[in-house]
Amino acid sequence: MSSLELAKYLPAFLQTAKTLSFSQAARNLEVTPAAVSKSVKVLETKLGIRLFHRTTHALTLTEDGESFYRSAGPAACQLNQLFENTQNLKTTPRGKLKVSVPDGFGKRFILPLMKSFLARYPNIELDLHLDDRRVDLVQEGYDIAIGNRVTDDANIVSRNLTPLNLICVASPTFVERYGLPNSVKDLGNRPCIRYRPASTQKLMPWRYKNAQGEIESFEPENSVINVNNIEALCELASYDVGATIVATWHADSYMADGRLVEILPECAIELQPIRIYYASRENQPAKVRAFIDFLIENFDH
């Protein structure tokens, strides 16, 4: 019998050593005196020592029993504390929380919320990774990932955070110089700015809605500059470098102050929404639940 298996007999011994009574120990443990006596006897047999002196009128600890009690008592307290602390992880938000967030989206919408989150949950240490790539929650040890794609895994669940719509944009000067295009393919013949994810190093095709309402992919022929940072798409377009296709949340501030305008609005599409991904809801740590609920509560885009 292993040491861990012997540990199940400790409560009977500790209560008996404390009360010097099988009957009182049994009442404290809500079992029968016979069960307590049997557990103590098994422990003595496995340890190869006598823990108690037994008479018809008294029960006292032996010298070996006294020594074992002095060691076992603190060890049992530490074990109980370990279990309590572990159980508290499910009920009390605390500990390190590793989160993956798309770079531009995170800077725009997630980072501004973090001061309030940490004020509400001061025992959580955030480990934020701002990166535009597909992540593997399990293999990379993430608690949560935000985005619209993660590595496929049947144990990963998600909650919608916000819609993701793609639109065509260009600067007013660009539109004045080249005129309004008749289609996305027509736009692709003019100077274009394209996105190349650092994770794949492949240019992303433009996706748009055709006249039949179907989503198509298209490779622009006149790409004048390619970038691996999504935020640079709108910035370059605002400098009259070319037209591009971006998410609405990337472009809305540029359009609000007139630096960019939407073109071909009929070609705008809605993709898979931005989601919060996390492992199975079963035995979900309190820190994970707190972060998810906080984002859902405070995200107003």
Side-chain angles (χ1 to χ4, degrees):
M1 183 177 293
S2 69
S3 299
L4 285 177
E5 290 176 307
L6 283 177
K8 66 183 179 182
Y9 301 109
L10 274 180
F13 166 74
L14 293 172
Q15 284 296 322
T16 303
K18 180 180 179 180
T19 62
L20 295 178
S21 167
F22 287 134
S23 297
Q24 185 59 51
R27 284 191 289 271
N28 292 347
L29 295 172
E30 298 182 345
V31 296
T32 65
V36 172
S37 178
K38 181 179 179 180
S39 292
V40 171
K41 187 63 178 176
V42 170
L43 194 58
E44 288 178 319
T45 300
K46 297 301 180 182
L47 292 174
I49 60 175
R50 177 175 291 184
L51 298 171
F52 293 96
H53 294 299
R54 299 167 175 83
T55 70
T56 55
H57 302 292
L59 186 68
T60 59
L61 284 163
T62 65
E63 182 179 354
D64 288 337
E66 287 277 8
S67 177
F68 185 66
Y69 182 50
R70 286 195 297 270
S71 299
C77 287
Q78 290 179 349
L79 189 59
N80 285 334
Q81 188 65 52
L82 171 64
F83 288 141
E84 288 179 8
N85 289 344
T86 303
Q87 289 171 336
N88 284 340
L89 292 176
K90 187 175 181 181
T91 58
T92 304
R94 61 186 303 172
K96 181 176 288 188
L97 185 68
K98 187 176 180 181
V99 182
S100 171
V101 186
D103 184 62
F105 184 86
K107 291 174 181 176
R108 176 82 180 276
F109 300 110
I110 304 301
L111 296 190
L113 299 176
M114 292 303 94
K115 180 180 179 181
S116 296
F117 175 77
L118 293 174
R120 184 182 299 184
Y121 301 107
N123 294 320
I124 290 180
E125 177 189 351
L126 277 173
D127 183 11
L128 290 179
H129 293 246
L130 280 72
D131 201 359
D132 294 319
R133 65 182 181 88
R134 184 190 298 266
V135 300
D136 187 318
L137 269 73
V138 176
Q139 291 296 322
E140 299 181 58
Y142 284 101
D143 296 295
I144 294 171
I146 298 173
N148 69 336
R149 58 199 179 102
V150 299
T151 300
D152 293 335
D153 190 318
N155 295 315
I156 302 300
V157 293
S158 66
R159 290 180 64 178
N160 289 351
L161 183 61
T162 187
L164 177 59
N165 300 306
L166 294 184
I167 58 174
C168 302
V169 295
S171 69
T173 301
F174 180 92
V175 173
E176 183 179 347
R177 180 184 307 155
Y178 293 98
L180 286 172
N182 298 316
S183 66
V184 172
K185 292 185 177 181
D186 183 26
L187 177 62
N189 292 322
R190 303 169 192 195
C192 297
I193 309 164
R194 296 181 65 186
Y195 174 57
R196 181 198 295 112
S199 58
T200 66
Q201 290 299 311
K202 295 180 180 179
L203 289 172
M204 294 283 287
W206 281 6
R207 302 178 69 187
Y208 67 98
K209 184 164 55 179
N210 63 24
Q212 291 72 44
E214 300 168 335
I215 295 178
E216 289 189 6
S217 293
F218 169 64
E219 299 284 349
E221 295 182 3
N222 193 20
S223 175
V224 295
I225 186 168
N226 307 312
V227 296
N228 65 355
N229 181 284
I230 290 180
E231 292 175 289
L233 294 172
C234 286
E235 195 70 9
L236 287 167
S238 72
Y239 297 145
D240 313 323
V241 172
T244 191
I245 289 184
V246 293
T248 51
W249 60 264
H250 278 299
D252 55 9
S253 63
Y254 289 86
M255 292 191 294
D257 61 19
R259 285 180 291 169
L260 294 178
V261 294
E262 182 178 4
I263 53 180
L264 300 172
E266 67 276 10
C267 295
I269 62 170
E270 182 174 345
L271 298 180
Q272 291 290 330
I274 299 292
R275 292 190 173 110
I276 307 171
Y277 295 91
Y278 51 99
S280 172
R281 294 183 180 88
E282 185 177 354
N283 295 323
Q284 186 180 85
K287 62 182 180 180
V288 172
R289 187 168 60 253
F291 191 82
I292 294 170
D293 291 344
F294 182 87
L295 287 187
I296 297 296
E297 173 189 340
N298 291 278
F299 199 88
D300 57 5
H301 181 70

